[in-house]
Amino acid sequence: MIMNFMRQLLYFILLSVILSSCYAEWKMAKGYIESKPEIAIMILPANYVFKKNQKIDNQKELQNFSELEKDSVLMAKSSFLKEVSDSIFLERFINSMYTEFEKLGFTVYTENYLDSFLFVQTPAYIFNIAQIELEELYTVYEDQQDFGDLTYYKNFDLNAINYNFWFELSELNDEKENTKLFFISETINDQVYGYFTENIFTGDVKYKYNITEIDMDVIYKYCTIYGRRHAGYTFDYIMNKYITENWPPNKRIPYYMHYNRENSTLDMTWEEKFISIEE
């Protein structure tokens, strides 16, 4: 009884310390969101999607080919990449991003409205989708379970797709602010629902499983998901930039704030969602 009380007390003390340490930036982020800042953003789309098949089952088969020939052979042997339409991929990704920026309160511009964009009076950013790359590969699924003194293992390859994105973000009319280059990689793969089972009479152990495989519908679905998600990460960057600019000098900011628009929640994280690349 006393031990349970002490555990609960320790939990609340630790929770209070964590909350108090991040309260200042949480309050600042909340105030920024509630102020509904007027921000303009111009989206510069990519023109095509790079594709790379990393599934190489037989190295000897390719050893006499040039790099260009290897790429052609691997593309022809890909399970998914050869079917991906750049136009469908980019349309879904960019439209989703465009819509999410608007829901976050941005005024969104395209290249067709460059003249108007250059004269906006609010803070304005140029968001350049510098490069998009799809990689098809295998990822290893592993599972294990103990039965008595023995440990049983099961592993096999799953299909996977890496979505790699490079973005450039620059603030209009701000000579002090250099263009920021960001990278982010997202991965989807076949989903496994499996478990070990033991025959109580014979002691035999078997692994039973079902696989939900990725397909073209799933690949295109995630174009929409990532477009929406990366617009949110861009808002996070601008919001945290505001916190940094208004933070007391010589005082460390312990957490990075993430805003979830759909749930209207603010969460603290240890690092940015985008990986910043120094040029």
Side-chain angles (χ1 to χ4, degrees), residues 197-245:
T197 179
E198 182 182 26
N199 187 313
I200 60 174
F201 298 106
T202 66
D204 291 339
V205 174
K206 294 184 177 181
Y207 192 74
K208 296 185 176 180
Y209 64 95
N210 290 310
I211 297 180
T212 301
E213 298 182 343
I214 58 177
D215 55 24
M216 294 308 301
D217 288 338
V218 171
I219 291 171
Y220 286 137
K221 172 186 174 183
Y222 275 87
C223 297
T224 300
I225 292 172
Y226 294 144
R228 180 170 64 248
R229 182 180 297 177
H230 297 164
Y233 290 168
T234 305
F235 179 84
D236 288 347
Y237 171 79
I238 295 172
M239 176 178 66
N240 283 275
K241 180 173 175 288
Y242 166 84
I243 294 173
T244 300
E245 291 172 347

Side-chain angles (χ1 to χ4, degrees), residues 65-238:
F65 289 111
S66 67
E67 289 302 317
L68 184 60
E69 289 171 332
K70 287 180 184 179
D71 289 341
S72 297
V73 171
L74 288 170
M75 186 58 60
K77 288 179 173 292
S78 68
S79 302
F80 309 104
L81 296 186
K82 62 187 177 188
E83 304 294 337
V84 173
S85 164
D86 287 15
S87 59
I88 294 175
F89 185 104
L90 294 170
E91 180 181 11
R92 296 192 181 189
F93 178 75
I94 294 167
N95 286 348
S96 174
M97 175 175 283
Y98 189 111
T99 300
E100 183 63 18
F101 271 130
E102 287 191 324
K103 289 181 177 179
L104 286 164
F106 288 77
T107 302
V108 185
Y109 291 82
T110 62
E111 293 177 279
N112 295 333
Y113 296 92
L114 176 61
D115 291 343
S116 301
F117 176 76
L118 293 175
F119 291 98
V120 296
Q121 299 301 310
T122 62
Y125 292 85
I126 298 173
F127 187 88
N128 179 30
I129 304 172
Q131 184 172 312
I132 299 174
E133 179 187 62
L134 289 181
E135 292 179 295
E136 182 176 320
L137 64 157
Y138 292 120
T139 185
V140 178
Y141 172 82
E142 298 178 335
D143 199 358
Q144 68 179 66
Q145 186 172 338
D146 295 329
F147 289 91
D149 296 330
L150 298 176
T151 301
Y152 290 82
Y153 299 88
K154 183 67 176 181
N155 61 74
F156 46 83
D157 290 336
L158 300 177
N159 289 308
I161 299 288
N162 284 343
Y163 296 68
N164 302 320
F165 300 90
W166 289 262
F167 304 124
E168 291 179 335
L169 185 68
S170 53
E171 189 168 356
L172 191 66
N173 299 325
D174 189 346
E175 297 179 356
K176 297 179 182 178
E177 189 72 20
N178 295 326
T179 297
K180 301 296 183 182
L181 178 60
F182 299 118
F183 171 76
I184 187 167
S185 183
E186 315 263 15
T187 303
I188 64 171
N189 54 256
D190 298 337
Q191 295 298 303
V192 180
Y193 306 90
Y195 59 94
F196 289 93
T197 179
E198 182 182 26
N199 187 313
I200 60 174
F201 298 106
T202 66
D204 291 339
V205 174
K206 294 184 177 181
Y207 192 74
K208 296 185 176 180
Y209 64 95
N210 290 310
I211 297 180
T212 301
E213 298 182 343
I214 58 177
D215 55 24
M216 294 308 301
D217 288 338
V218 171
I219 291 171
Y220 286 137
K221 172 186 174 183
Y222 275 87
C223 297
T224 300
I225 292 172
Y226 294 144
R228 180 170 64 248
R229 182 180 297 177
H230 297 164
Y233 290 168
T234 305
F235 179 84
D236 288 347
Y237 171 79
I238 295 172

Side-chain angles (χ1 to χ4, degrees), residues 7-49:
R7 287 195 191 96
Q8 292 179 3
L9 180 62
L10 179 60
Y11 169 79
F12 284 115
I13 291 174
L14 290 173
L15 182 63
S16 298
V17 170
I18 293 173
L19 290 175
S20 61
S21 66
C22 74
Y23 179 71
E25 56 264 48
W26 182 90
K27 185 177 180 181
M28 198 175 291
K30 187 172 186 295
Y32 180 78
I33 294 166
E34 291 178 345
S35 71
K36 299 185 184 301
E38 296 182 7
I39 305 172
I41 193 162
M42 171 172 283
I43 300 175
L44 301 179
N47 295 320
Y48 45 84
V49 179

